[in-house]
Amino acid sequence: MPSRSGILYLISGPSGSGKTTLCRRLASEQQAEYAISCTTRAPREGESHGVDYYFLSIHEFKSKIEKGEFLEFAEVHGNYYGTLLSEVVTKLESGKDVVMDIDVQGAALVRNSKNPSIKLALVDLFIMPPTVAELRKRLTGRGTDSDEVIELRMNNSLEEMAYKDQYSYLLCSGTHEEDYLQFLALLQSQRLMTSRLDVKTLDVG
Ligand code: 5GP
């Protein structure tokens, strides 16, 4: 088997597009490592520190900004979210694929990164919900957010969709299973890119 460098699979899409579920499934099937983000938002029921997010106070988050620990960070839905360099770069350099669930602002920052490991590794995908009505249904059906938060997320989601053309790949969401098959297929195809493969001489034995 040829060795290859890791892929940074960067996933954006509105809240309710199903992207977090897809990213988590990819990681649970050991296809990629999930980059756990930092956030200042409060944990939802069932979420835990170090698994879903690193839940930080604003003070802790700002201190990490000052120390230059973030690959990127952004304010999303009134809270800070950011990815630590330590969650990404070492894994990529050891040939592991990393999947990131990130908003459109963070994605733009990663795309503009000067870090050569990141540039070589990047594959960006935007996930579109099937319809606006379905998006609202998914946001409401989660049952974890207040009406005010749902409205804010709904408005932000519509704005986020305007950025879809900045991504190399677009997945229009259907069923969970259909989405996952396409999501995995894209990652698998990227693993075959010649620029990522280190093929030595042919074994003619
Ligand atoms: P949620 O609060 O629903 O978990 O996430 C809200 C939004 O924050 C989602 O669009 C998600 O993609 C984004 N997000 C999660 N982690 C990060 C991150 O590390 N950086 C950035 N820029 N956005 C993130």
Side-chain angles (χ1 to χ4, degrees):
M1 276 267 271
S3 64
R4 62 171 182 85
S5 53
I7 292 164
L8 183 58
Y9 202 14
L10 199 146
I11 316 301
S12 300
S15 282
S17 62
K19 64 183 186 307
T20 308
T21 310
L22 289 172
C23 294
R24 288 287 177 183
R25 179 162 168 197
L26 200 70
S28 75
E29 294 188 1
Q30 287 162 14
Q31 294 285 345
E33 305 240 344
Y34 188 84
I36 302 170
S37 300
C38 298
T39 183
T40 58
R41 86 149 159 76
R44 296 195 184 110
E45 209 179 305
E47 286 184 332
S48 46
H49 182 81
V51 177
D52 300 284
Y53 280 104
Y54 299 114
F55 293 100
L56 304 181
S57 66
I58 294 196
H59 177 75
E60 289 167 325
F61 199 101
K62 288 195 169 161
S63 149
K64 288 191 184 298
I65 297 176
E66 274 157 28
K67 290 189 206 143
E69 292 183 29
F70 285 111
L71 164 62
E72 62 72 38
F73 65 91
E75 200 181 328
V76 190
H77 311 314
N79 289 296
Y80 282 110
Y81 292 80
T83 315
L84 295 169
L85 274 162
S86 58
E87 280 288 311
V88 175
V89 176
T90 335
K91 287 171 186 155
L92 289 178
E93 286 173 354
S94 64
K96 288 183 182 142
D97 298 330
V98 177
V99 63
M100 276 175 74
D101 173 347
I102 187 170
D103 89 307
V104 293
Q105 308 167 73
L109 292 169
V110 178
R111 233 178 258 123
N112 291 331
S113 166
K114 302 271 181 290
N115 183 316
S117 313
I118 304 272
K119 279 193 165 311
L120 176 72
L122 192 65
V123 176
D124 56 351
L125 169 71
F126 192 89
I127 304 185
M128 285 282 283
T131 59
V132 173
E134 174 65 19
L135 178 65
R136 183 176 286 282
K137 198 170 128 200
R138 289 182 186 182
L139 286 176
T140 314
R142 212 150 46 181
T144 49
D145 296 319
S146 65
D147 289 351
E148 201 186 350
V149 168
I150 291 170
E151 263 335 289
L152 176 69
R153 281 174 180 257
M154 191 71 206
N155 289 337
N156 289 351
S157 294
L158 297 175
E159 277 173 25
E160 275 205 274
M161 281 190 246
Y163 291 83
K164 68 178 185 343
D165 296 339
Q166 295 185 354
Y167 290 71
S168 300
Y169 298 94
L170 182 71
L171 193 161
C172 293
S173 175
T175 66
H176 282 320
E177 208 50 37
E178 283 163 356
D179 292 358
Y180 186 70
L181 290 178
Q182 293 191 62
F183 186 59
L184 179 59
L186 176 58
L187 177 64
Q188 288 172 330
S189 69
Q190 296 297 312
R191 289 179 181 150
L192 304 182
M193 273 181 77
T194 41
S195 55
R196 294 210 169 90
L197 290 172
D198 177 19
V199 184
K200 306 250 160 41
T201 46
L202 195 65
D203 184 357
V204 287

